Amino acid sequence: MNKGSKLYEGKAKIIYETKDKNLLIQHFKDDATAFNNLKKAKVEGKGVLNNRISEYILTNLSQCGIKTHLVKRLNMREQLIRKAEIFPVEFIVRNIATGSLTKRLGIPEGTVLEKPLLEYCYKNDQLKDPLISKEHIFSFGWADEKEIKLIDKLTLRINDILTGMFRAIDIKLVDFKIEYGKAWNKDAEKKEIVLADEISPDTCRLWDVKTEKKLDKDRFRKDLGNIIQAYQEVARRLRIMPEETNISEVNFGKTIPIKFKKK
Ligand code: 5GP
């Protein structure tokens, strides 16, 4: 599938058009950003790993009956995906309190939540993705009640599947962010809700069960170092280390800071 013109460039991915108006190419970059773009770096090999990890997770979810935008992985950095009209909402699930939840509400770090907590954020970089309620979503027409009811159900099911998948490799799924969109169904007769974007150590918090070592983007956010080694560890435990990759060739582990401004 040949790449057409660039449709959109985000912080970690680029979306290209293809000859088929319903299909796009999603390219995973090595760029890492945090704190609303204030901290930026190139983490060599991150795009390759996220491409593989996200492909693995979305394929597994699809086998469990969750509809996703993924058609297939094309190469080390690219996936063929269905074009979807993305809801401007980030859906966050939390199993253990950390990150913005502890900051916002003073909940002690590491508190195991009695049941998964669902949060909604408005996808808007300029506004720093603010937390919103379902009523905001309905008021501003970002999704309707029927759609959110289905998305909530899917999100909790995804949490169950992923919690089990990671538990099997001695990783706690602490929290994660997912996105959904509406894409044409197979017969192009109606649009259906599909899981979009990616699920990877960029979008999840993953802690080793025994040591609670962070195996996710918090290594970058908190300057813990060994970012790529942590992502590789996740891929290794999932048994999906990219077989066609010569690790020394892509220089995994090298982090090139671009800019760092303190808030
Ligand atoms: P928090 O709200 O604690 O910063 O993040 C909660 C979870 O959602 C974490 O797993 C975090 O990685 C993910 N998350 C929230 N917003 C974003 C975002 O804009 N980009 C990415 N990659 N992950 C996000």
Side-chain angles (χ1 to χ4, degrees):
M1 180 68 69
N2 288 331
K3 266 200 305 242
S5 48
K6 197 195 278 189
L7 196 61
Y8 166 80
E9 179 156 5
K11 287 173 275 186
K13 293 187 292 292
I14 307 173
I15 304 292
Y16 295 95
E17 287 180 324
T18 69
K19 273 188 199 143
D20 185 328
K21 66 179 188 328
N22 293 322
L23 295 175
L24 302 171
I25 289 174
Q26 172 166 259
H27 175 104
F28 288 76
K29 301 194 285 185
D30 281 343
D31 298 5
T33 65
F35 313 122
N36 207 37
N37 250 344
L38 285 177
K39 182 173 180 176
K40 286 189 195 178
K42 235 184 213 327
V43 182
E44 285 191 35
K46 180 173 82 75
V48 174
L49 283 160
N50 280 352
N51 184 18
R52 286 302 300 247
I53 294 171
S54 193
E55 175 207 14
Y56 176 86
I57 293 176
L58 266 62
T59 303
N60 270 269
L61 290 173
S62 164
Q63 284 162 359
C64 295
I66 309 271
K67 293 190 172 105
T68 83
H69 72 160
L70 179 67
V71 178
K72 62 174 178 179
R73 184 171 63 86
L74 295 170
N75 53 48
M76 297 241 294
R77 289 190 181 270
E78 289 169 343
Q79 301 179 344
L80 187 64
I81 58 169
R82 292 158 69 186
K83 186 172 190 169
E85 204 186 314
I86 304 292
F87 294 102
V89 177
E90 293 184 341
F91 298 86
I92 292 174
V93 185
R94 298 180 186 273
N95 298 307
I96 298 176
T98 188
S100 69
L101 178 67
T102 57
K103 285 202 197 93
R104 226 183 308 120
L105 302 178
I107 309 295
E109 170 80 18
T111 306
V112 177
L113 304 178
E114 242 170 68
K115 57 178 190 150
L117 176 65
L118 275 184
E119 288 179 345
Y120 312 92
C121 292
Y122 178 39
K123 245 172 83 72
N124 185 314
D125 282 345
Q126 275 179 333
L127 300 175
K128 302 182 186 165
D129 300 340
L131 185 72
I132 52 171
S133 69
K134 279 191 200 185
E135 280 63 35
H136 290 101
I137 299 178
F138 304 145
S139 274
F140 303 117
W142 294 327
D144 66 29
E145 293 200 31
K146 206 172 136 211
E147 289 166 338
I148 291 297
K149 203 171 158 198
L150 173 63
I151 288 175
D152 283 355
K153 208 171 128 197
L154 289 170
T155 303
L156 291 173
R157 174 126 175 79
I158 290 170
N159 184 47
D160 279 347
I161 298 166
L162 295 190
T163 298
M165 177 191 293
F166 283 115
R167 188 62 190 78
I169 54 166
D170 284 337
I171 289 176
K172 286 191 228 182
L173 177 62
V174 174
D175 57 29
F176 61 96
K177 182 265 302 180
I178 47 180
E179 297 182 22
Y180 292 90
K182 283 193 277 186
W184 287 108
N185 71 356
K186 246 203 286 161
D187 307 316
E189 54 190 8
K190 65 174 170 83
K191 283 204 166 177
E192 60 185 9
I193 290 180
V194 294
L195 176 67
D197 195 51
E198 67 174 300
I199 301 182
S200 72
D202 264 10
T203 62
C204 302
R205 284 200 177 94
L206 304 168
W207 294 353
D208 178 81
V209 164
K210 286 192 205 96
T211 63
E212 301 221 320
K213 181 179 169 188
K214 295 178 193 336
L215 299 170
D216 56 64
K217 197 173 155 188
D218 270 356
R219 300 206 73 80
F220 173 69
R221 295 187 187 103
K222 295 171 181 269
D223 285 325
L224 299 175
N226 295 335
I227 306 160
I228 216 68
Q229 288 81 354
Y231 284 42
Q232 266 184 280
E233 175 67 15
V234 174
R236 190 191 62 76
R237 291 196 200 181
L238 288 171
R239 298 177 179 275
I240 49 164
M241 275 300 286
E243 67 282 350
E244 68 272 57
T245 309
N246 177 337
I247 289 171
S248 59
E249 263 175 28
V250 296
N251 213 355
F252 275 174
K254 200 165 135 203
T255 305
I256 306 162
I258 297 172
K259 186 170 97 179
F260 180 38
K261 275 195 236 147
K262 278 245 152 40
K263 257 190 191 174

